Structure formats: structure tokens, C-alpha cells
Amino acid sequence: MPTIMDSAFDGAAYCPRCHLLMYVKDETCPHCAYLLSLDERNKQKGFSKQQLKKGLKMGTAWTLGFILIVSCLLGFE
């Protein structure tokens, strides 16, 4: 039985059959037991990498924006 920490840093993507999240490293969906083909697994890996890059960009932008706003409000120039 996998634990939360086993897959803490693995990507996640949606199952093509039931549209629920599953880990990219899984060959079958834990919800509906759908066996993914090699092409579907490759698409899931690409989707997972795309979402990670998007999240990193947005996180960086929000952090820099927050620092800028706080510094302006506190009067640091």
C-alpha cells in the first residue's frame, strides 16, 4: 500500500476514462482500474511537466508581486 510520502514528488494527471487524478507513475487508474497505453502515459507525463512549469512561473510572479507591494506599503524604496 503506497503512502503519501512515496508519491509526494511525483506528478499527477487525469485519467482518460474517469477524469480523476492519478499519479503519472501508475500504469492503471486506482479509481476505475483502466490500463493506460504507452501513448496515454507519455501524454500524462507531458501534461504533468507543463502544469509544474506553469505553477512555478505563477508562484514566482505572485511572490515578487507580493514583495513589491509590501515594500511600497512599508516605504522601502
Side-chain angles (χ1 to χ4, degrees):
M1 184 70 162
T3 64
I4 294 174
M5 292 309 292
D6 290 340
S7 300
F9 300 106
D10 291 336
Y14 294 102
C15 171
R17 184 176 182 194
C18 67
H19 305 291
L20 295 175
L21 280 175
M22 60 180 285
Y23 292 116
V24 172
K25 70 176 186 174
D26 293 341
E27 293 180 6
T28 60
C29 177
H31 309 288
C32 64
Y34 177 71
L35 181 63
L36 278 75
S37 68
L38 185 60
D39 185 45
E40 290 172 332
R41 290 177 63 200
N42 288 335
K43 286 182 182 179
Q44 280 191 335
K45 286 179 185 178
F47 174 78
S48 178
K49 287 180 184 179
Q50 177 188 8
Q51 293 300 311
L52 177 65
K53 288 179 183 179
K54 179 181 174 183
L56 289 174
K57 288 178 187 176
M58 291 299 292
T60 303
W62 280 100
T63 302
L64 293 175
F66 178 74
I67 291 171
L68 180 66
I69 290 172
V70 169
S71 66
C72 289
L73 289 176
L74 295 176
F76 299 119
E77 295 181 6

